[in-house]
Amino acid sequence: MYALYLDTMAVVRRFGRPTYFITFTANPSWPEITAHLLPGQLTTDRPDLVARVFHIKLKHLLKDLTQHQWFGRALAWTWVVEFQKRGLPHAYILLTVSAADRPNTPEAVDERVCAEIPPNTDGTQANLLEIVSKCMLHGPCGVRNPYAPCIREDGSCKHDFPKDFSSDTVLPAELYPRYRRRDNGIVVRKGDALMDNRDVVPYSPLLLKKYAAHINVEVVANIRLVKYIFKYTFKGHDQAHVELGQPHDHNSTEGKTNNSDRMVCP
């Protein structure tokens, strides 16, 4: 992993900082998964099926980004696949596009990345609204759910949700842009909580409509972010060691196992 990180630093030296940081997570409700479950099975019973479908969709997503140039002419890209503790695979993708295709203005960022609940006044955005409501809302956390896994000891969200309302995208702002989140009164219900634009994870409407999954798209606005995101993606995978052995009576020699009988599984 460290060698891969050094390789990516060489890529940055040649092509410049990445343009987009994309997180793509498998959706257990994909019809390609649910249609092939046996009677009585849940998605959690078929990690093999989830992984295979995710792998196929990831290949298509990479092709859209690099060959079909959905975000512009791709110069360089890297990706790493991890598995969450609940079993869902997700990929971190870093994409570098040509200088002519970089979103260097607030208007260009708004054309590619959205952080708002889509209005559905004319009925044409019903599908996107459903996907955003299911996949792209953070929380609820904070006072609405003080026991959420993202809550720090001081009661704040480690991802700083809910965000502040903003009438316009501000670029640059810290490491990522401050995306447009207008106070337009649009809300959706998630459980017992009402969610608005302050709770939306930035996304690409184009990618969301095709892949119907959690796809967080961030514009890399500051060179200071480069080392962090590459170290984050190449930090290595979580591992656990499980020791298997036979139970035995400590007062007798029968049934005892020695170290050679035990299996250690990384």
Side-chain angles (χ1 to χ4, degrees):
M1 283 294 182
Y2 183 65
L4 291 173
Y5 164 73
L6 295 179
D7 290 342
T8 57
M9 289 297 96
V11 172
V12 173
R13 185 166 61 247
R14 173 65 178 83
F15 296 103
R17 61 177 168 83
T19 313
Y20 299 98
F21 183 23
I22 303 171
T23 305
F24 176 38
T25 304
N27 183 356
S29 299
W30 277 329
E32 294 90 346
I33 296 176
T34 57
H36 293 87
L37 295 176
L38 298 177
Q41 278 189 335
L42 301 175
T43 304
T44 51
D45 299 323
R46 293 296 305 277
D48 59 324
L49 181 58
V50 174
R52 291 174 66 184
V53 172
F54 174 77
H55 179 65
I56 294 171
K57 289 183 177 288
L58 176 60
K59 289 196 298 183
H60 281 276
L61 174 59
L62 292 171
K63 184 178 294 185
D64 287 336
L65 297 174
T66 60
Q67 296 183 23
H68 300 161
Q69 303 180 3
W70 279 18
F71 284 172
R73 186 167 67 90
L75 300 179
W77 56 92
T78 67
W79 74 93
V80 175
V81 176
E82 291 186 352
F83 285 81
Q84 299 172 333
K85 292 181 179 179
R86 61 183 177 180
L88 291 177
H90 62 278
Y92 298 120
I93 304 170
L94 286 159
L95 175 69
T96 304
V97 301
S98 64
D101 295 317
R102 286 180 179 270
N104 294 322
T105 64
E107 294 76 18
V109 172
D110 293 338
E111 290 177 0
R112 296 163 175 80
V113 180
C114 180
E116 295 182 325
I117 300 171
N120 190 35
T121 53
D122 56 359
T124 60
Q125 299 295 324
N127 183 43
L128 181 61
L129 175 60
E130 180 182 5
I131 299 170
V132 172
S133 302
K134 290 183 177 180
C135 302
M136 302 308 299
L137 296 179
H138 177 83
C141 62
V143 295
R144 293 173 295 181
N145 182 13
Y147 301 104
C150 61
I151 294 298
R152 299 189 184 99
E153 293 183 359
D154 62 359
S156 63
C157 173
K158 64 181 181 181
H159 302 295
D160 298 323
F161 281 93
K163 306 289 187 179
D164 296 327
F165 283 120
S166 178
S167 58
D168 298 290
T169 296
V170 178
L171 182 73
E174 297 302 327
L175 302 179
Y176 298 119
R178 188 172 75 233
Y179 300 101
R180 182 177 63 187
R181 301 173 188 272
R182 291 167 290 191
D183 187 6
N184 52 17
I186 299 179
V187 298
V188 297
R189 180 173 293 277
K190 185 177 180 180
D192 296 329
L194 290 178
M195 318 286 282
D196 55 32
N197 290 337
R198 295 173 296 175
D199 303 299
V200 178
V201 178
Y203 64 92
S204 163
L206 184 64
L207 295 181
L208 228 58
K209 288 179 180 179
K210 178 173 181 178
Y211 292 98
H214 176 92
I215 308 179
N216 175 209
V217 179
E218 298 279 2
V219 175
V220 181
N222 197 306
I223 191 66
R224 292 182 301 162
L225 187 64
V226 170
K227 283 190 175 182
Y228 166 75
I229 56 178
F230 276 114
K231 287 183 177 179
Y232 183 79
T233 55
F234 291 106
K235 65 182 182 297
H237 308 294
D238 293 336
Q239 294 181 344
H241 289 270
V242 180
E243 189 172 287
L244 305 178
Q246 295 292 332
H248 59 272
D249 184 0
H250 290 283
N251 296 324
S252 68
T253 58
E254 294 183 3
K256 285 189 177 181
T257 58
N258 55 37
N259 289 338
S260 63
D261 297 325
R262 294 182 297 179
M263 294 179 60
V264 179
C265 306

